[in-house]
Amino acid sequence: TMSKSPYLGPTFVSKSLQKPIKQMPQKPVMCRIHCIVDVMIENGVSSLPFEELMNFLVAALASPNGEVRTFSVDAIAVIAPEVGESAIDKYLKDVQPKTRDMVKAAIREQEE
């Protein structure tokens, strides 16, 4: 995959996936999140710029589309075991309480 390429690598791939998502149709956003999760699984969470990654996923949590929010919740749950819930919490302070609860529940499920 492109994320394994010595010329591109996971950081390049992740930057191309993290362009702003405002006003973007749901399918491209879900595809970006899916690609980000694939890169994390193949290369580890530490291979991606954490702050940019979380900013992108938190922006997706604000989507009016439930599928986009669910994809983002699942991606954050994949990240949490490696970085710790406290690292995730600082990005969730401005997230809607119901969505924040969904993220917390998904993280707990991932830990089990």
Side-chain angles (χ1 to χ4, degrees):
T1 66
M2 286 192 328
S3 69
K4 293 275 189 190
S5 167
Y7 303 105
L8 299 177
T11 301
F12 178 83
V13 172
S14 69
K15 284 200 183 287
S16 69
L17 297 171
Q18 293 177 21
K19 294 177 183 169
I21 62 172
K22 289 184 179 183
Q23 307 296 323
M24 186 179 288
Q26 73 183 44
K27 294 226 186 260
V29 175
M30 291 188 316
C31 288
R32 285 181 183 188
I33 295 170
H34 181 77
C35 289
I36 287 171
V37 170
D38 284 349
V39 168
M40 288 187 300
I41 289 169
E42 283 187 32
N43 300 286
V45 173
S46 62
S47 66
L48 301 175
F50 180 70
E51 186 170 344
E52 292 174 19
L53 174 64
M54 285 303 300
N55 288 335
F56 175 80
L57 294 173
V58 168
L61 287 174
S63 170
N65 184 278
E67 283 184 281
V68 170
R69 289 192 307 273
T70 299
F71 267 57
S72 185
V73 165
D74 292 345
I76 292 170
V78 169
I79 297 167
E82 275 196 53
V83 300
E85 195 170 342
S86 62
I88 302 287
D89 284 344
K90 79 176 204 177
Y91 292 93
L92 300 179
K93 62 183 172 196
D94 295 328
V95 172
Q96 293 289 334
K98 182 178 177 183
T99 305
R100 187 173 42 242
D101 291 344
M102 288 173 49
V103 172
K104 298 279 191 177
I107 290 170
R108 283 191 295 276
E109 274 183 34
Q110 188 76 17
E111 291 172 349
E112 294 174 358

